[in-house]
Protein backbone atom coordinates (compact mmCIF):
# COMPACT_ATOMS: atom_id res chain seq x y z
CA UNK A 1 0.00 0.00 0.00
CA UNK A 2 1.29 3.48 -0.93
CA UNK A 3 1.28 6.08 1.82
CA UNK A 4 0.01 9.54 0.74
CA UNK A 5 3.01 11.15 2.44
CA UNK A 6 5.34 9.07 0.25
CA UNK A 7 3.58 10.43 -2.83
CA UNK A 8 3.92 14.00 -1.58
CA UNK A 9 7.67 13.49 -1.03
CA UNK A 10 8.14 12.44 -4.67
CA UNK A 11 10.06 15.25 -6.43
CA UNK A 12 8.01 15.03 -9.62
CA UNK A 13 4.77 15.26 -7.67
CA UNK A 14 6.00 18.28 -5.71
CA UNK A 15 6.82 19.94 -9.00
CA UNK A 16 3.22 19.83 -10.12
CA UNK A 17 1.32 20.34 -6.89
CA UNK A 18 1.10 22.59 -3.92
CA UNK A 19 -1.03 22.24 -0.82
CA UNK A 20 -2.10 25.90 -0.63
CA UNK A 21 -1.60 28.31 -3.47
CA UNK A 22 -3.80 31.18 -4.59
CA UNK A 23 -4.66 31.97 -8.18
CA UNK A 24 -2.87 35.30 -7.88
CA UNK A 25 0.25 33.54 -6.60
CA UNK A 26 0.16 31.04 -9.49
CA UNK A 27 -0.24 33.88 -12.00
CA UNK A 28 2.57 35.88 -10.37
CA UNK A 29 4.95 32.90 -10.58
CA UNK A 30 3.98 32.37 -14.21
CA UNK A 31 4.59 36.04 -15.10
CA UNK A 32 8.05 35.84 -13.49
CA UNK A 33 8.86 32.77 -15.63
CA UNK A 34 7.56 34.55 -18.71
CA UNK A 35 9.77 37.56 -18.01
CA UNK A 36 12.81 35.33 -17.44
CA UNK A 37 12.33 33.69 -20.83
CA UNK A 38 11.78 37.09 -22.44
CA UNK A 39 14.87 38.54 -20.74
CA UNK A 40 16.89 35.68 -22.25
CA UNK A 41 15.39 36.48 -25.66
CA UNK A 42 13.52 33.17 -25.69
CA UNK A 43 16.80 31.29 -25.68
CA UNK A 44 15.68 27.72 -25.11
CA UNK A 45 18.68 26.09 -23.45
CA UNK A 46 16.63 23.45 -21.66
CA UNK A 47 14.02 21.76 -23.89
CA UNK A 48 12.51 19.85 -20.95
CA UNK A 49 11.94 23.05 -18.95
CA UNK A 50 10.49 24.73 -22.04
CA UNK A 51 8.03 21.85 -22.61
CA UNK A 52 6.91 22.12 -18.97
CA UNK A 53 6.55 25.88 -19.41
CA UNK A 54 4.24 25.35 -22.41
CA UNK A 55 2.04 23.06 -20.34
CA UNK A 56 2.12 25.61 -17.50
CA UNK A 57 0.98 28.24 -20.03
CA UNK A 58 -1.97 26.11 -21.02
CA UNK A 59 -3.03 25.79 -17.35
CA UNK A 60 -2.68 29.53 -16.67
CA UNK A 61 -4.74 30.43 -19.73
CA UNK A 62 -7.31 27.85 -18.65
CA UNK A 63 -7.49 29.45 -15.18
CA UNK A 64 -8.07 32.96 -16.54
CA UNK A 65 -9.95 32.00 -19.70
CA UNK A 66 -13.33 33.33 -18.52
CA UNK A 67 -11.71 36.60 -17.44
CA UNK A 68 -10.06 37.35 -20.78
CA UNK A 69 -11.75 40.27 -22.55
CA UNK A 70 -11.38 39.21 -26.18
CA UNK A 71 -12.56 42.61 -27.42
CA UNK A 72 -9.40 44.18 -25.93
CA UNK A 73 -7.08 41.81 -27.80
CA UNK A 74 -5.31 42.46 -31.08
CA UNK A 75 -5.88 40.15 -34.03
CA UNK A 76 -2.52 38.45 -33.37
CA UNK A 77 -3.38 37.96 -29.68
CA UNK A 78 -6.76 36.44 -30.58
CA UNK A 79 -5.06 34.01 -32.96
CA UNK A 80 -2.53 33.07 -30.28
CA UNK A 81 -5.28 32.61 -27.69
CA UNK A 82 -7.04 30.21 -30.06
CA UNK A 83 -3.80 28.23 -30.47
CA UNK A 84 -3.40 27.86 -26.69
CA UNK A 85 -7.07 27.03 -26.11
CA UNK A 86 -7.00 24.28 -28.74
CA UNK A 87 -3.63 23.02 -27.53
CA UNK A 88 -5.22 21.80 -24.29
CA UNK A 89 -7.18 19.31 -26.43
CA UNK A 90 -4.08 18.45 -28.50
CA UNK A 91 -5.65 20.16 -31.50
CA UNK A 92 -3.10 21.92 -33.67
CA UNK A 93 -3.79 25.13 -35.59
CA UNK A 94 -2.31 25.86 -39.01
CA UNK A 95 0.23 27.03 -40.06
CA UNK A 96 1.87 24.38 -37.91
CA UNK A 97 5.45 25.43 -38.61
CA UNK A 98 4.76 28.93 -37.26
CA UNK A 99 2.74 27.82 -34.25
CA UNK A 100 4.68 24.82 -32.90
CA UNK A 101 8.09 23.27 -32.40
CA UNK A 102 8.79 19.58 -31.83
CA UNK A 103 9.86 18.41 -28.38
CA UNK A 104 11.45 14.96 -28.47
CA UNK A 105 12.97 12.57 -25.98
CA UNK A 106 15.87 10.33 -26.99
CA UNK A 107 17.66 7.55 -25.11
CA UNK A 108 20.90 5.72 -25.71
CA UNK A 109 21.95 2.15 -24.85
CA UNK A 110 23.07 3.23 -21.37
CA UNK A 111 19.60 4.67 -20.64
CA UNK A 112 20.67 8.32 -20.73
CA UNK A 113 17.88 10.67 -21.83
CA UNK A 114 18.33 13.60 -24.20
CA UNK A 115 15.69 16.27 -24.81
CA UNK A 116 15.54 18.23 -28.07
CA UNK A 117 13.54 21.03 -29.63
CA UNK A 118 13.42 21.13 -33.40
CA UNK A 119 11.48 22.61 -36.27
CA UNK A 120 7.96 21.23 -36.63
CA UNK A 121 8.65 19.75 -40.08
CA UNK A 122 12.10 18.37 -39.39
CA UNK A 123 12.33 14.61 -39.63
CA UNK A 124 14.50 13.35 -36.81
CA UNK A 125 16.50 10.32 -37.91
CA UNK A 126 17.82 8.07 -35.21
CA UNK A 127 21.36 9.19 -34.53
CA UNK A 128 24.31 6.88 -33.82
CA UNK A 129 23.34 5.15 -30.59
CA UNK A 130 20.35 7.42 -29.86
CA UNK A 131 16.78 6.26 -30.34
CA UNK A 132 13.80 8.60 -30.30
CA UNK A 133 11.32 7.34 -27.72
CA UNK A 134 8.77 10.15 -27.70
CA UNK A 135 7.88 13.41 -29.38
CA UNK A 136 5.09 15.93 -29.36
CA UNK A 137 4.52 19.51 -30.36
CA UNK A 138 4.79 22.49 -28.05
CA UNK A 139 3.87 26.12 -28.61
CA UNK A 140 6.39 28.03 -30.70
CA UNK A 141 8.48 30.51 -28.66
CA UNK A 142 7.48 33.28 -31.08
CA UNK A 143 3.92 33.06 -29.69
CA UNK A 144 4.93 34.05 -26.17
CA UNK A 145 5.02 37.84 -26.61
CA UNK A 146 1.29 37.65 -27.45
CA UNK A 147 0.66 35.22 -24.59
CA UNK A 148 2.41 37.58 -22.20
CA UNK A 149 0.32 40.48 -23.47
CA UNK A 150 -2.93 38.49 -23.07
CA UNK A 151 -2.05 37.50 -19.50
CA UNK A 152 -0.92 40.99 -18.48
CA UNK A 153 -3.99 42.69 -20.01
CA UNK A 154 -6.28 40.26 -18.20
CA UNK A 155 -4.44 40.56 -14.90
CA UNK A 156 -4.52 44.36 -15.06
CA UNK A 157 -8.14 44.62 -16.16
CA UNK A 158 -9.49 42.10 -13.65
CA UNK A 159 -7.06 42.85 -10.77
CA UNK A 160 -6.10 39.19 -10.54
CA UNK A 161 -2.85 39.83 -8.67
CA UNK A 162 -3.04 41.51 -5.30
Amino acid sequence: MVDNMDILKNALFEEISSPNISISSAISKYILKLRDYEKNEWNLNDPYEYAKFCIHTMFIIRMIEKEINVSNLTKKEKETLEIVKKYKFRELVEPYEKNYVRFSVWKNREGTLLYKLSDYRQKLPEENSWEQVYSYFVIHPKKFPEIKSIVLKTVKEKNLIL
Side-chain angles (χ1 to χ4, degrees), residues 30-87:
Y30 177 75
I31 290 172
L32 288 175
K33 282 185 181 181
L34 251 177
R35 288 183 175 153
D36 282 345
Y37 273 113
E38 184 179 48
K39 184 172 57 177
N40 292 323
E41 298 177 3
W42 301 102
N43 189 355
L44 308 175
N45 292 329
D46 188 340
Y48 178 71
E49 286 300 317
Y50 181 73
K52 287 190 333 185
F53 180 69
C54 287
I55 293 168
H56 190 182
T57 297
M58 181 186 60
F59 290 132
I60 292 295
I61 293 294
R62 181 80 173 146
M63 281 192 319
I64 66 171
E65 190 172 11
K66 292 180 181 171
E67 307 297 329
I68 297 171
N69 184 351
V70 180
S71 63
N72 285 347
L73 302 181
T74 66
K75 181 180 178 187
K76 224 173 169 184
E77 290 167 346
K78 288 176 187 176
E79 291 169 356
T80 300
L81 180 61
E82 191 63 25
I83 290 165
V84 177
K85 287 167 99 175
K86 288 189 174 198
Y87 186 75

Side-chain angles (χ1 to χ4, degrees), residues 17-158:
S17 70
S18 177
N20 296 311
I21 189 167
S22 68
I23 290 174
S24 66
S25 177
I27 294 170
S28 294
K29 286 181 182 182
Y30 177 75
I31 290 172
L32 288 175
K33 282 185 181 181
L34 251 177
R35 288 183 175 153
D36 282 345
Y37 273 113
E38 184 179 48
K39 184 172 57 177
N40 292 323
E41 298 177 3
W42 301 102
N43 189 355
L44 308 175
N45 292 329
D46 188 340
Y48 178 71
E49 286 300 317
Y50 181 73
K52 287 190 333 185
F53 180 69
C54 287
I55 293 168
H56 190 182
T57 297
M58 181 186 60
F59 290 132
I60 292 295
I61 293 294
R62 181 80 173 146
M63 281 192 319
I64 66 171
E65 190 172 11
K66 292 180 181 171
E67 307 297 329
I68 297 171
N69 184 351
V70 180
S71 63
N72 285 347
L73 302 181
T74 66
K75 181 180 178 187
K76 224 173 169 184
E77 290 167 346
K78 288 176 187 176
E79 291 169 356
T80 300
L81 180 61
E82 191 63 25
I83 290 165
V84 177
K85 287 167 99 175
K86 288 189 174 198
Y87 186 75
K88 70 183 172 196
F89 298 112
R90 290 289 190 225
E91 294 176 26
L92 303 182
V93 177
E94 291 187 43
Y96 306 124
E97 63 278 0
K98 292 187 179 195
N99 295 332
Y100 308 97
V101 292
R102 181 188 308 262
F103 170 79
S104 56
V105 181
W106 299 71
K107 75 171 185 165
N108 64 10
R109 291 183 197 123
E110 292 78 36
T112 303
L113 295 179
L114 173 69
Y115 305 106
K116 285 186 174 185
L117 289 174
S118 58
D119 182 84
Y120 174 87
R121 298 164 292 190
Q122 183 180 359
K123 298 292 183 206
L124 298 174
E126 293 188 4
E127 301 171 357
N128 299 335
S129 64
W130 292 94
E131 170 190 4
Q132 182 179 335
V133 293
Y134 187 74
S135 80
Y136 67 93
F137 301 106
V138 293
I139 299 165
H140 200 293
K142 291 181 180 176
K143 296 296 174 188
F144 278 96
E146 285 85 30
I147 292 171
K148 177 185 174 197
S149 181
I150 293 166
V151 171
L152 291 178
K153 282 180 181 180
T154 304
V155 164
K156 183 177 180 183
E157 183 178 311
K158 301 295 180 173

